Amino acid sequence: MTMDALLAPVKAFLQCETPDEWIAVACLPENLPILLIDHANCETKAAMTAHSLVRRYCLPKGKRHLLPKLDFYRELEALPEKAEVLGKRTMAEGDRSVFAELERNPLLFPMVRLIQEELHHFEQVLEIMNERGIAYEAVSASRYARGMMGAVRTHEPATIVDKLIIGAYIEARSCERFAKLAPHLDEALGRFYVSLLRSEARHYQDYLALAEQFAGADISERIRFFGELEAALICSPDEQFRFHSGCPVKTDSC
Ligand SMILES: [Fe+2]
Ligand SMILES: [Fe+2]
């Protein structure tokens, strides 16, 4: 599939394009460390969000502790396989029946694949930072995800449907930003960002399909609602620069 064909549904889903002013600030050399550090953070957050959805919605309350915390993977030599993500290898024999419950849930397969891919992206960003001598420092989160999560309804299945729609928007926006940023970055980084497009485009579609499945009813109103909210966070002035920040208040050109 060509890049244009991949991006067409992403752009149709999003209610606004990333403002040129954001691109201009994002490609300033002095902003490269913050762009990469925050991008790395976004990748781990994407994995953690998928992991928390598995914990909350694939397992009954009394068994959620059986799912290992996601940071266990740092001790592994390679990225975790499905069984490792789910803690199967470390689980006591008697607890393994939990897998029958996990396997029945439609969230499981796409979320585990997403966890694996996001952890891989995180490792790739860290490697790029390493090559460029950029240290991984603590950076505060942008207003973006918080701004949408504040609107999540508090009763099920509305809560899970809203969280899945938000997941779709975050993935779609990341995809759109990678594509828009790529031509303005140096060749290696541009190539890396283009390489991320395919998986992020699929992640947004996975989230959306799951939202429809969990709702069991038409969710176009809710998609429109979060689409407007997301576009407002992207297009309104934002004093902080981050991977998902809004329109920079002060801009310089590339
Ligand atoms: Fe990713
Ligand atoms: Fe993703």
Side-chain angles (χ1 to χ4, degrees):
M1 200 190 276
T2 64
M3 204 160 108
D4 285 349
L6 202 69
L7 282 170
V10 174
K11 286 184 177 173
F13 178 61
L14 295 170
Q15 293 197 18
C16 73
E17 264 194 48
T18 288
D20 290 339
E21 293 91 332
W22 185 89
I23 298 291
V25 169
C27 63
L28 292 172
E30 63 265 35
N31 282 334
L32 187 64
I34 190 92
L35 181 76
L36 289 175
I37 293 169
D38 197 48
H39 176 190
N41 285 341
C42 290
E43 299 292 359
T44 38
K45 276 182 211 153
M48 280 157 63
T49 301
H51 186 263
S52 68
L53 288 174
V54 171
R55 182 185 292 267
R56 169 70 181 79
Y57 292 101
C58 297
L59 287 168
K61 211 169 183 179
K63 292 185 180 171
R64 285 179 200 154
H65 66 281
L66 295 173
L67 200 67
K69 285 199 174 129
L70 200 53
D71 44 12
F72 78 95
Y73 95 92
R74 288 176 200 274
E75 286 150 34
L76 301 174
E77 285 189 7
L79 287 166
E81 290 170 12
K82 181 183 170 191
E84 285 170 327
V85 172
L86 299 174
K88 204 170 190 172
R89 300 223 169 120
T90 50
M91 213 173 266
E93 193 70 45
D95 288 327
R96 291 202 186 148
S97 61
V98 80
F99 281 93
E101 293 169 59
L102 280 168
E103 300 283 353
R104 275 198 297 272
N105 197 302
L107 268 178
L108 189 75
F109 179 70
M111 288 300 110
V112 169
R113 187 170 60 174
L114 198 136
I115 290 167
Q116 291 168 312
E117 289 179 357
E118 304 297 15
L119 290 178
H120 178 54
H121 298 165
F122 173 66
E123 297 282 332
Q124 286 178 301
V125 184
L126 283 192
E127 207 178 297
I128 286 170
M129 286 168 55
N130 212 10
E131 282 163 11
R132 292 161 191 246
I134 297 169
Y136 186 54
E137 289 163 8
V139 157
S140 61
S142 68
R143 65 185 189 180
Y144 180 69
R146 204 173 45 236
M148 288 188 280
M149 287 302 285
V152 169
R153 292 169 292 178
T154 53
H155 56 94
E156 297 294 357
T159 304
I160 175 85
V161 170
D162 285 356
K163 284 180 181 175
L164 292 167
I165 295 172
I166 292 171
Y169 273 107
I170 296 174
E171 296 288 345
R173 179 61 64 189
S174 305
C175 193
E176 187 254 358
R177 287 213 159 161
F178 290 141
K180 209 166 173 180
L181 259 179
H184 299 276
L185 301 169
D186 63 62
E187 208 199 320
L189 204 49
R191 224 177 315 115
F192 171 56
Y193 276 12
V194 167
S195 78
L196 295 179
L197 290 182
R198 204 167 293 278
S199 54
E200 307 303 1
R202 203 192 52 248
H203 294 168
Y204 118 77
Q205 280 166 341
D206 283 350
Y207 269 125
L208 210 51
L210 285 165
E212 275 156 4
Q213 201 174 337
F214 273 83
D218 180 47
I219 54 168
S220 49
E221 259 316 303
R222 212 54 198 156
I223 291 173
R224 194 169 319 123
F225 168 79
F226 279 110
E228 282 169 13
L229 185 53
E230 199 270 349
L233 289 161
I234 288 299
C235 292
S236 62
D238 191 348
E239 286 185 5
Q240 195 183 42
F241 171 70
R242 295 288 185 269
F243 192 83
H244 288 114
S245 55
C247 197
V249 176
K250 207 169 57 176
T251 61
D252 294 305
S253 58
C254 279

